[in-house]
Amino acid sequence: MITEEQAYHRILAATNPLSARRIALTDAANCFAAEDSFAKTPLPNFDNSAMDGYAVRVSDCARDKSLEVIGEQPAGVDRQLRISSGEAIRIFTGAPIPDGADAVVMQEDVTLGGSEISINTDVQSGDFIRRRGCDLAEGQKIVSKGQRLRVTAMAALAAQGLSEVAVGGRVTAAVVSTGDEVVQPGVSLRRGEIYDSNTVLLKTLLAGWDAEVRFAEHSPDDEQALIGCLRRAADNNVLLISGGVSVGQHDLVKSALAAIGATIDVWRVAIKPGKPFLFGKAGACHVFGLPGNPVSSFVTFLKFVRPAVLRMMGAADNELPLRAVTAHLTEDVVSDSDRPHYIRGRLCDGKFNTSGRQESHALFGLSQSNALLRVPAQTTFRAGEFVQVELWD
Ligand code: AMP
Ligand code: MG
């Protein structure tokens, strides 16, 4: 049995980014930038008004003085107006600042009479002018290679006039569930049978990272059937197999993988839940054998599959871990295991409490959780302690 860290490093060492591609910016959410992007257009691109009001010259703005309004500059095309001493120009938010003006006075601070205004406030140079490049300078980096494209970064790229972006490759995936007891929806259960929940879990987790799940099949615990299924499934970047990786005589995944010529780089990891986890390669396909218990499948997906998929998608190293936050523990959490135990629970308002039973079959408790607490082997955390939890939601 190897440690979590050893397994993680072996998996990442066997995983390379796929070739980059250009896609529509609107399709790029949660993809990873394939190159650095630098601003060609500063933001703002021209000095413009932050308010609806009047463009003025500060030196004219004594409180008792009137200014002649000589024109209007709405947002849009620059009318190339210019003001001289004693003049003002009606201006609107986002409109280019006319030549000669060095401040904008809000319309709320002005009294309008005919074509003249008087100003009822003190005016400083630069008031309500958004200067060219004050937000983003020309040449400044907007996005780094390997960074996840969050919606706000996509909007910043759109403000450069881009409609496409270079991102890492799209992962193709297969999901195979195993087990004679596992049946699909629509069939009524006979005693001893359970519905397949792992296929939904794993397909949805993959789809959440924009992987293209091209193959999903169930195999009974029959070596020939499983070999055929794995052969068809291995024509993808990743293959997730649920169940059948443990040591029982019905656990046929290892031998079926050997039969299709796969190598096995990791089998059995000191992690709870998830000890029987397996990783190997079938040709170019990265094969993950996830223990069938739903919580084991989930935890090993987050810890081992997710970082590998992100690496294939071109994610930088700092994008691979789950987001860790400090939480106030509301109850004692005891691990008498010889392996680090990932406790499922709920983080809410900075407080973490466990959700339901903590055995690896306990899907309902998992369904109430949004975070994991890693408790090292033989360790107790006390109520009131501050701990780091990993958010997966
Ligand atoms: P295994 O890893 O095949 O030994 O299965 C461990 C446990 O997970 C058993 O109780 C299985 O019934 C259960 N299990 C296996 N596959 C699934 C699945 N697709 N959905 C839900 N539970 C499963
Ligand atoms: Mg099984």
Side-chain angles (χ1 to χ4, degrees):
M1 193 151 57
I2 61 172
T3 67
E4 247 185 298
E5 290 74 20
Q6 285 169 327
Y8 180 86
H9 290 300
R10 273 194 210 174
I11 293 165
L12 284 189
T15 305
N16 293 310
L18 303 173
S19 305
R21 64 210 163 114
R22 293 195 74 78
I23 61 171
L25 189 52
T26 45
D27 293 334
N30 291 333
C31 293
F32 294 88
E35 58 196 19
D36 293 342
S37 284
F38 298 93
K40 295 201 171 88
T41 306
L43 290 181
N45 192 24
F46 50 89
D47 291 357
N48 70 87
S49 178
M51 289 288 168
D52 293 340
Y54 294 85
V56 297
R57 291 157 57 111
V58 173
S59 55
D60 288 346
C61 290
R63 277 203 178 233
D64 51 357
K65 215 169 142 192
S66 293
L67 301 174
E68 173 80 15
V69 180
I70 59 150
E72 188 171 299
Q73 174 64 68
V77 175
D78 185 357
R79 292 185 176 168
Q80 302 194 328
L81 303 176
R82 160 163 204 100
I83 59 172
S84 307
S85 182
E87 296 175 343
I89 289 172
R90 181 77 170 115
I91 196 162
F92 299 90
T93 304
I97 299 296
D99 274 356
D102 57 6
V104 168
V105 184
M106 290 201 286
Q107 63 189 35
E108 292 87 335
D109 290 333
V110 157
T111 307
L112 181 62
S115 67
E116 293 202 331
I117 55 167
S118 57
I119 294 168
N120 310 318
T121 188
D122 295 329
V123 183
Q124 312 287 330
S125 175
D127 277 358
F128 301 114
I129 294 180
R130 306 193 283 213
R131 293 286 179 203
R132 179 171 204 264
C134 71
D135 177 23
L136 172 69
E138 192 174 332
Q140 201 175 327
K141 196 193 274 185
I142 303 171
V143 165
S144 298
K145 180 177 178 184
Q147 183 184 328
R148 180 162 70 89
L149 290 172
R150 293 164 177 84
V151 61
T152 44
M154 291 163 61
L157 294 176
Q160 294 294 306
L162 298 177
S163 58
E164 289 191 341
V165 62
V167 298
R170 187 164 190 213
V171 172
T172 63
V175 175
V176 170
S177 62
T178 70
D180 287 342
E181 76 283 27
V182 174
V183 301
Q184 302 305 312
V187 175
S188 41
L189 293 181
R190 293 176 302 183
R191 185 168 159 79
E193 292 178 336
I194 60 167
Y195 287 120
D196 179 357
S197 60
N198 287 344
T199 297
V200 167
L201 179 84
L202 299 174
K203 279 173 85 171
T204 310
L205 285 164
L206 287 164
W209 289 107
D210 195 39
E212 186 191 348
V213 183
R214 298 197 303 189
F215 182 100
E217 272 187 24
H218 177 74
S219 172
D221 293 322
D222 170 89
E223 188 146 17
Q224 287 315 309
L226 186 57
I227 289 170
C229 184
L230 296 185
R231 243 192 211 116
R232 293 191 299 282
D235 181 26
N236 285 291
N237 301 130
V238 299
L239 162 56
L240 309 190
I241 307 163
S242 131
V245 281
S246 199
V247 289
Q249 69 201 65
H250 299 289
D251 293 322
L252 303 170
V253 167
K254 265 185 91 191
S255 55
L257 283 171
I260 68 165
T263 55
I264 295 185
D265 302 326
V266 172
W267 183 54
R268 303 183 83 223
V269 180
I271 183 173
K272 184 178 177 179
K275 184 162 82 175
F277 172 81
L278 172 155
F279 169 75
K281 284 284 219 34
C285 180
H286 303 71
V287 182
F288 297 86
L290 311 183
N293 275 309
V295 187
S296 310
S297 275
F298 182 68
V299 168
T300 53
F301 182 97
L302 291 184
K303 290 281 130 189
F304 302 126
V305 182
R306 179 183 174 279
V309 167
L310 300 194
R311 166 63 61 84
M312 285 179 221
M313 294 173 70
D317 286 351
N318 64 349
E319 295 278 4
L320 301 184
L322 292 170
R323 190 156 70 88
V325 294
T326 302
H328 201 204
L329 200 56
T330 59
E331 60 191 286
D332 290 354
V333 177
V334 182
S335 172
D336 50 14
S337 170
D338 56 352
R339 291 166 277 149
H341 191 174
Y342 283 91
I343 298 287
R344 287 77 65 194
R346 216 170 154 77
L347 178 73
C348 187
D349 296 334
K351 295 190 170 68
F352 180 86
N353 57 281
T354 61
S355 60
R357 301 185 67 91
Q358 294 295 328
E359 297 102 324
S360 58
H361 66 89
L363 178 56
F364 176 69
L366 177 67
S367 77
Q368 305 303 297
S369 76
N370 64 359
L372 298 176
L373 168 63
R374 182 184 187 278
V375 184
Q378 314 286 357
T379 299
T380 297
F381 290 141
R382 294 283 171 209
E385 273 187 54
F386 284 94
V387 290
Q388 291 286 302
V389 300
E390 296 171 81
L391 275 177
W392 53 264
D393 198 3

